[in-house]
Amino acid sequence: MSNRSMAKSPISLMVLLAVLLTACGARSEQSQTPTVGPVSTPAAPATVEVGGASRCEPNNLLSQLKDDIPYSQVSLLHNQLLAVRYLNLWVVYPDLNSAPAADEVEANHAQATELAARLSHLLANDHPCVRVSFEQITMTIVDSRYNAWFVGGIGMEDIPSGSDLTEDEMATLKGHVVSSAALQSPVEHPGPDVPPADACDWGMALEGLRTQFAPAGPNVDFYLVIDQDGANVWAQWEDSNPGQTSESFLPGVLALQTELQCLNPPVDVLWMVYTDGAGRVSVVMAADGEALRNPDPSYLVDHLRVIYPEPSS
């Protein structure tokens, strides 16, 4: 994405962090909208055992929760930003139409919203520690080509308890689980019609990223979201003692550059979330695709945009 396109990004931190927003205004639903099948909520033990002590540990929850989500491409992370504790879910939902006609777009949005509602209920009730550990669940639902059809969130207090949802509870839940009002239909054809010979797809790039950041804990991951502004890659990684200087997070930034330069569709914006070992956010940065693909790493470093903490004037 060009600098001009980056300038179109919303100023608000909570809007910039699309996966950390709770959107306003529910979408209207159509009676002919396809429905999402029920998602079962398995029984779970009452506590998480850590070092002989019974307590809730977010990192220990991630693997169990992720295993219970019935889709093959899933990213599940947690973090704490501005004193709010988030559980952040990204899912590829293959039943969505990745090339909908104009009259099918709203059905895609509604179907993704219903899945977001069901998955929020699954996560909130999958383990007793979830409601203790997190205050908000944010969700990004994409199709098989990584086009975004839902980006939003819900507060834990708005999610019904219990393993099953009644029709009334589901209707109420969908009223609370709302997508960003800024989310529009994804761009139709991101990237060139004929990719360069050295191009890589998301699967190849993701494998390279996970290799670069290995060994990594469960709260490190990467995912692709294509929206109306183009291709966005989100990266979250951690350090047990993170700093807010370039020396502390620069190795991770350069590793991201190494693996994402070949990606097709080309990255328009790279969003980076750098946390400590407990998920507390230390730095949030963004870089546009031109800087990411520049062969000089110093050019990327010079063009990093620090979003959080807000730079002092």
Side-chain angles (χ1 to χ4, degrees):
M1 180 177 288
S2 66
N3 290 336
R4 180 181 177 184
S5 297
M6 280 284 285
K8 294 180 182 178
S9 300
I11 296 174
S12 165
L13 172 63
M14 299 311 290
V15 177
L16 280 169
L17 300 182
V19 296
L20 301 182
L21 60 83
T22 301
C24 299
R27 294 185 180 275
S28 60
E29 298 178 29
Q30 298 179 352
S31 59
Q32 297 180 348
T33 299
T35 58
V36 180
V39 179
S40 61
T41 303
T47 58
V48 178
E49 296 293 331
V50 182
S54 297
R55 62 189 180 94
C56 293
E57 174 57 52
N59 279 355
N60 289 358
L61 284 172
L62 291 181
S63 295
Q64 175 180 331
L65 296 174
K66 189 174 180 179
D67 287 344
D68 290 336
I69 297 171
Y71 296 97
S72 60
Q73 294 188 67
V74 175
S75 175
L76 188 64
L77 299 165
H78 74 88
N79 52 43
Q80 180 176 327
L81 179 67
L82 301 178
V84 179
R85 294 167 295 152
Y86 293 94
L87 182 62
N88 306 308
L89 173 67
W90 171 92
V91 171
V92 174
Y93 184 31
D95 289 354
L96 290 171
N97 188 342
S98 60
D103 60 353
E104 298 172 324
V105 167
E106 187 58 32
N108 254 20
H109 284 299
Q111 196 173 0
T113 298
E114 181 165 340
L115 179 65
R118 292 193 181 278
L119 290 179
S120 71
H121 179 259
L122 168 68
L123 289 172
N125 296 288
D126 193 32
H127 196 289
C129 280
V130 173
R131 292 182 184 268
V132 175
S133 301
F134 309 111
E135 298 161 88
Q136 296 271 342
I137 299 178
T138 68
M139 291 158 289
T140 301
I141 309 296
V142 302
D143 62 32
S144 59
R145 295 181 181 176
Y146 308 106
N147 300 308
W149 295 101
F150 180 95
V151 178
I154 186 172
M156 284 292 179
E157 70 279 4
D158 293 323
I159 303 174
S161 59
S163 59
D164 298 312
L165 283 170
T166 66
E167 289 186 8
D168 288 344
E169 286 176 331
M170 184 61 188
T172 301
L173 183 57
K174 286 196 290 185
H176 289 298
V177 177
V178 290
S179 189
S180 167
L183 183 64
Q184 303 169 20
S185 296
V187 294
E188 292 185 6
H189 299 290
D193 291 335
V194 180
D198 59 349
C200 60
D201 62 17
W202 175 242
M204 296 170 61
L206 180 60
E207 182 180 359
L209 288 168
R210 288 176 173 169
T211 299
Q212 285 272 8
F213 283 81
N219 204 30
V220 175
D221 209 356
F222 319 90
Y223 53 91
L224 173 63
V225 180
I226 299 174
D227 61 16
Q228 68 274 9
D229 293 322
N232 302 268
V233 171
W234 285 83
Q236 178 171 305
W237 74 102
E238 63 187 5
D239 189 305
S240 59
N241 186 27
Q244 294 177 355
T245 63
S246 60
E247 289 79 9
S248 63
F249 55 72
L250 188 56
V253 173
L254 297 182
L256 290 164
Q257 181 184 37
T258 297
E259 299 302 329
L260 292 174
Q261 285 181 325
C262 65
L263 183 62
N264 186 67
V267 178
D268 287 295
V269 181
L270 169 62
W271 304 94
M272 295 161 278
V273 181
Y274 180 55
T275 74
D276 67 8
R280 290 181 289 264
V281 174
S282 178
V283 179
V284 179
M285 300 166 286
D288 66 42
E290 292 179 4
L292 186 69
R293 288 182 290 276
N294 191 291
D296 182 1
S298 64
Y299 184 87
L300 171 61
V301 175
D302 290 341
H303 287 78
L304 288 175
R305 179 181 175 187
V306 177
I307 299 167
Y308 175 85
E310 185 175 356
S312 57
S313 56

